[in-house]
Amino acid sequence: MKKLETREDIELLVNTFYQKVQKDETIGFFFNDVAKVNWNEHLSKMYKFWETLLFGQISYKGNPMAAHFPINEMVAMEKYHFEHWLKLWTETVEELFTGVKADMAVYKANNISQLMAYKMEMARRLS
Ligand code: HEM
């Protein structure tokens, strides 16, 4: 299987993942109905986000946590949503790529997802 090493690899990974997310019964509605994302903009942001995390190519300048609080205010983003997000991400990485960067993509997503789930929960408790 192929190593995760180029910008094209990131694009394939991100596109494949969000194709699944878009159709997903558990979390798809956050994107389609709650945030009503502009998919072109979202995907191009996510290429930069993962390129920054995995290749140290500093092209993403946003604040990933901050982007999720308004969504969480509209519909609670629960632990099981994040667990499901991570399951889809891990499956997608593993079906397409192998090697250190692929492992890192799963590892970092796991850390961020747990932290994000915790922050969303705290925000709800404090509101
Ligand atoms: C249940 C889990 C998740 C849901 C439903 C979700 C949903 C969303 C939505 C709807 C947006 C678009 C916001 C907008 O443009 O209005 C967004 C943006 C984003 N998400 Fe998530 N997300 C989840 C988990 C994650 C995780 C675990 C990560 C990181 C590993 C992540 C990284 C990002 C980033 C980087 C952005 C772009 C933020 C920006 O505008 O700069 N998301 N997410």
Side-chain angles (χ1 to χ4, degrees):
M1 221 184 344
K2 204 191 164 310
K3 283 188 179 160
L4 174 47
E5 52 195 355
T6 65
R7 163 77 186 207
E8 286 67 37
D9 295 341
I10 297 267
E11 290 183 12
L12 175 64
L13 172 58
V14 167
N15 290 343
T16 311
F17 173 65
Y18 284 104
Q19 269 161 24
K20 292 183 191 180
V21 165
Q22 213 170 351
K23 292 183 293 189
D24 186 80
E25 286 186 4
T26 309
I27 59 169
F29 74 97
F30 280 111
F31 296 85
N32 298 322
D33 307 323
V34 181
K36 298 188 174 71
V37 290
N38 174 326
W39 282 102
N40 282 341
E41 274 175 25
H42 184 59
L43 292 173
S44 100
K45 245 184 231 175
M46 297 314 292
Y47 304 148
K48 290 179 186 162
F49 176 72
W50 284 107
E51 182 171 68
T52 300
L53 285 189
L54 298 177
F55 303 151
Q57 176 84 38
I58 318 289
S59 50
Y60 175 76
K61 302 237 160 58
N63 180 341
M65 288 298 160
H68 297 81
F69 288 115
I71 300 164
N72 185 49
E73 277 176 24
M74 290 188 270
V75 180
M77 298 176 79
E78 310 262 8
K79 193 166 175 238
Y80 77 90
H81 293 125
F82 286 97
E83 285 168 354
H84 190 71
W85 184 104
L86 188 66
K87 179 174 163 278
L88 289 180
W89 177 257
T90 305
E91 274 171 18
T92 312
V93 173
E94 288 176 354
E95 83 195 22
L96 293 171
F97 297 106
T98 185
V100 174
K101 299 282 182 191
D103 292 348
M104 208 189 274
V106 171
Y107 178 79
K108 293 201 170 186
N110 188 3
N111 282 346
I112 299 168
S113 172
Q114 287 196 36
L115 181 64
M116 210 180 265
Y118 174 75
K119 292 208 172 202
M120 296 308 130
E121 163 99 46
M122 284 302 127
R124 288 198 300 278
R125 284 199 201 172
L126 295 171
S127 72

